[in-house]
Amino acid sequence: MPEESEEIRRELLDMVQSLRSHIEQDIERGRSLSYLHLEGSLTPHFSAGKPGAAGGEHLSVNRRLQQNGFHAMEKVQHELGDCQRCSLSQGRTNIVFGEGNPDANLVFVGEAPGADEDAQGRPFVGRAGQLLTRIIAAMGLSRKDVYICNILKCRPPGNRNPKPDEIHACEPFLIKQIRAIQPEVICALGTFAAQTLLKKEAPITALRGRFHSYQGIKVMPTYHPAYLLRNAGA
Ligand code: SF4
């Protein structure tokens, strides 16, 4: 078990480093850093961007982009509505649509809501969510800088694995969310998120730790935070 914990620790550090490097490259190349310039969320690590990057004109462009992302996401949520497209609608308390910056460069995609998420209607708010929040903080970001959602928007009973017909019914809305956001990096949390996005059957152990591609967007698969919590020392 200590070896496994060490492996997971390295995995987490690798992931944080890879994503952090990506953000730093954005700064070096003068790309849009709208996710770092939201009101109240300017992050000290990245505040020293390229000269002019934080100028008034740049900020107003970022705000327009953010508004576009917000409206696009509103449309997706409106289309989802009080969804009854699969049987998971029968047992849910709340639809967990997703939350965060609709113009984020970084999107986290998990598997499905758990009990806490179902109760609150928000993604990743239980123990695994608290760990994810710490991972995001380790990147020098906050939850409102990124976007967080799941493959399924409703909780499977007893937190069982998603079924193919449920993924089939719900995935179009994830695709629309990602199209609305147009992120540069997606972090796929766990086997189902990685396999669904990448259309591969390989386990997370084979997919994790390197970038893949999803419709031109970089995808970094990694362990689900719940898995990390189940392993002592992780
Ligand atoms: S899981 Fe998705 S498709 Fe199924 S009812 Fe919930 S929102 Fe609709």
Side-chain angles (χ1 to χ4, degrees):
M1 190 62 87
E3 275 178 25
E4 192 176 5
S5 296
E6 178 56 25
E7 188 191 341
I8 292 167
R9 197 183 70 83
R10 278 201 306 273
E11 159 80 12
L12 207 57
L13 284 173
D14 283 353
M15 186 194 76
V16 169
Q17 189 56 45
S18 297
L19 291 169
R20 193 178 171 123
S21 298
H22 189 85
I23 292 165
E24 287 172 342
Q25 278 176 18
D26 282 349
I27 292 172
E28 281 171 19
R29 293 173 189 172
R31 287 181 178 155
S32 167
L33 293 173
S34 52
Y35 56 103
L36 300 177
H37 293 288
L38 290 172
E39 276 177 34
S41 71
L42 194 60
T43 313
H45 288 305
F46 298 105
S47 58
K50 286 197 103 177
E57 191 182 336
H58 186 84
L59 273 178
S60 69
V61 169
N62 282 337
R63 290 222 172 88
R64 276 204 300 279
L65 283 171
Q66 198 189 336
Q67 277 176 357
N68 289 345
F70 179 77
H71 290 313
M73 194 64 80
E74 259 192 343
K75 276 174 75 176
V76 179
Q77 191 159 13
H78 182 75
E79 187 184 341
L80 182 69
D82 183 29
C83 184
Q84 312 283 327
R85 292 171 180 84
C86 83
S87 61
L88 293 181
S89 61
Q90 306 305 312
R92 75 176 177 228
T93 307
N94 287 297
I95 290 181
V96 182
F97 181 70
E99 69 179 27
N101 178 2
D103 187 39
N105 274 3
L106 174 58
V107 173
F108 288 89
V109 178
E111 180 178 313
D116 292 317
E117 290 75 18
D118 177 58
Q120 295 185 40
R122 296 182 56 213
F124 283 92
V125 289
R127 283 186 66 225
Q130 287 162 18
L131 178 57
L132 179 62
T133 302
R134 282 165 48 204
I135 292 171
I136 293 168
M139 294 173 193
L141 299 171
S142 75
R143 282 177 68 114
K144 60 185 175 183
D145 296 322
V146 302
Y147 196 85
I148 306 172
C149 58
N150 287 298
I151 302 283
L152 296 185
K153 313 298 183 211
C154 302
R155 183 192 181 202
N159 293 348
R160 64 157 169 73
N161 289 336
K163 292 181 178 174
D165 64 312
E166 294 159 357
I167 293 174
H168 182 74
C170 213
E171 190 187 359
F173 294 94
L174 174 69
I175 292 170
K176 287 177 184 180
Q177 282 175 300
I178 290 171
R179 280 198 191 133
I181 300 167
Q182 298 180 17
E184 291 194 17
V185 178
I186 298 170
C187 185
L189 300 167
T191 298
F192 278 94
Q195 290 180 341
T196 301
L197 286 171
L198 300 175
K199 304 295 175 220
K200 290 184 177 169
E201 295 191 352
I204 191 71
T205 46
L207 297 171
R208 71 182 174 84
R210 65 181 194 281
F211 281 112
H212 301 253
S213 181
Y214 169 81
Q215 298 192 358
I217 301 168
K218 288 180 185 167
V219 176
M220 169 67 81
T222 190
Y223 292 120
H224 193 283
Y227 173 83
L228 300 175
L229 285 172
R230 284 196 297 271
N231 289 272

